Amino acid sequence: MTAGRGTAWPFPAPSKRLKASDLTLRFCTNETQASRKKFVAKLQRLGFDISVGEVFSPAPAAVAVLRERGLRPHLLVCDGVLPEFDGVETSDPNCVVIGDAAEKFSYANLNEAFRVLIGLEKPTLFSLGKGKYYKETDGLSLDVGVYMKALEYACDVEAEVIGKPSAAFFRSVLNDMALQPHEVMMIGDDLVNDIGGAQQCGMKGVQVRTGKYRVVVQPLLFHSYLLREDVLRSLAATLLIKGPVRGALDILGCYTRFSVRQKDLQVFGYGNVLWHLDLQQNKLELFHILSHCLGLFFRVTLQMKS
């Protein structure tokens, strides 16, 4: 959900139907340009039946971490989210927190954050999400992950991500709902931060092809529950009978197809990896395909034996 960034779900009816059911509903967002209160107010004006307590965003989670660890942050965030940090000590900072600061991501501000980090004995960097880009009404815009990577590289430090796809972030939502991962489904448009993050925690993930969805060249992890038992056994049988190499090639041939646009070749390392290949640029080598098929061989044969 990205109402604070100029776009939002156009139809609140689905969320109303969910709330009218016996299902527990929570809204997870990496929104860091506005406070939860402002974010919820905008959604309510658009017709959503939603309260602040149902929304989980990175800034409040970051505040909890800062207080727990006694840290004083240098904040490189959008002015709209600063109310979430009220009461947090920021003098003499001993860590840096970055969010989607939009226009505040100037050279001067990034360099100031860099100088704080590089001057610390143990540099600590928190990133409120790690998205590559998000969608606004006028097109796609760079997200916080791009600037996080710049500071990581400059300071030789690995950021602690707060928000999707962090496992701790998803667990906090699960704890609030008092549910186990296998009882929860995550719906979102981001295959890495929404679907991938949820699946890494044991939840099911459903992608919607709206918002920032687009076909890109990237590996995407999936879990074995996506495979029916009969499919697993069929694949395992193929690999066991024909051997890992020839079997992998056969499977590759079966699950290779042209997409609707007849431009991208979608190669399924079935159940493990989905690759989108631009045929004109040859961005995926056969070696990568075979390596994932061989990985599949060991996984399905182990499941077959168990």
Side-chain angles (χ1 to χ4, degrees):
M1 302 184 68
T2 55
R5 294 171 175 169
T7 60
W9 290 356
F11 306 110
S15 66
K16 289 184 176 180
R17 289 197 294 269
L18 284 172
K19 295 195 77 170
S21 70
D22 60 351
L23 298 173
T24 303
L25 180 64
R26 293 293 184 271
F27 299 86
C28 301
T29 176
N30 273 358
E31 173 60 55
T32 57
Q33 285 193 9
S35 65
R36 283 185 302 168
K37 185 176 180 180
K38 184 177 180 180
F39 178 75
V40 168
K42 183 168 186 176
L43 289 175
Q44 289 173 340
R45 290 196 299 271
L46 292 169
F48 284 83
D49 178 14
I50 186 174
S51 65
V52 172
E54 294 173 312
V55 175
F56 286 77
S57 63
V63 170
V65 171
L66 293 170
R67 287 176 172 162
E68 179 184 349
R69 292 163 61 171
L71 295 172
R72 304 177 303 277
H74 170 84
L75 297 173
L76 180 49
V77 298
C78 191
D79 290 341
V81 81
L82 285 176
E84 298 281 14
F85 293 89
D86 286 348
V88 175
E89 179 60 51
T90 57
S91 62
D92 188 22
N94 54 7
C95 69
V96 169
V97 174
I98 63 169
D100 177 20
E103 289 79 10
K104 291 185 68 176
F105 276 135
S106 64
Y107 174 81
N109 288 339
L110 278 168
N111 200 49
E112 185 180 3
F114 160 73
R115 287 177 174 178
V116 171
L117 274 177
I118 206 70
L120 297 173
E121 183 179 352
K122 293 183 178 180
T124 302
L125 173 63
F126 295 101
S127 182
L128 306 183
K130 66 172 186 178
K132 297 178 180 178
Y133 54 84
Y134 54 87
K135 186 176 181 180
E136 294 188 294
T137 52
D138 61 349
L140 298 176
S141 298
L142 291 175
D143 205 347
V144 63
V146 177
Y147 305 97
M148 175 196 80
K149 288 296 184 182
L151 290 174
E152 283 185 330
Y153 178 72
C155 300
D156 195 23
V157 64
E158 182 176 353
E160 297 183 39
V161 177
I162 300 177
K164 300 179 295 185
S166 165
F169 183 76
F170 280 112
R171 283 195 297 267
S172 68
V173 182
L174 292 171
N175 291 338
D176 183 74
M177 294 189 293
L179 294 172
Q180 296 300 311
H182 68 274
E183 300 176 295
V184 179
M185 177 180 292
M186 175 70 188
I187 302 173
D189 63 356
D190 190 316
L191 279 167
V192 175
N193 294 317
D194 296 336
I195 310 308
Q199 288 183 341
Q200 290 296 323
C201 289
M203 293 184 278
K204 294 180 175 64
V206 174
Q207 182 205 15
V208 292
R209 297 192 172 191
T210 58
K212 65 187 258 185
Y213 169 80
R214 59 197 294 264
V215 176
V216 294
V217 180
Q218 62 180 356
L220 304 167
L221 298 183
F222 290 86
H223 287 266
S224 60
Y225 67 75
L226 292 174
L227 297 180
R228 300 194 313 271
E229 183 66 23
D230 59 327
V231 176
L232 273 175
R233 291 185 177 277
S234 175
L235 292 175
T238 299
L239 293 168
L240 287 171
I241 293 172
K242 297 190 175 183
V245 176
R246 186 175 176 185
L249 288 171
D250 282 1
I251 292 172
L252 175 61
C254 291
Y255 291 98
T256 298
R257 64 180 176 83
F258 283 101
S259 68
V260 175
R261 292 191 299 165
Q262 298 287 307
K263 173 184 175 183
D264 298 322
L265 183 65
Q266 296 179 327
V267 182
F268 293 77
Y270 201 63
N272 275 345
V273 153
L274 165 61
W275 294 88
H276 292 283
L277 173 62
D278 187 330
L279 290 177
Q280 296 177 347
Q281 299 182 30
N282 296 319
K283 292 182 178 177
L284 185 63
E285 298 177 2
L286 180 61
F287 174 79
H288 293 145
I289 302 172
L290 289 177
S291 67
H292 288 294
C293 285
L294 291 173
L296 171 67
F297 167 74
F298 292 109
R299 187 166 69 90
V300 296
T301 50
L302 285 174
Q303 291 194 28
M304 183 86 167
K305 292 176 181 178
S306 63

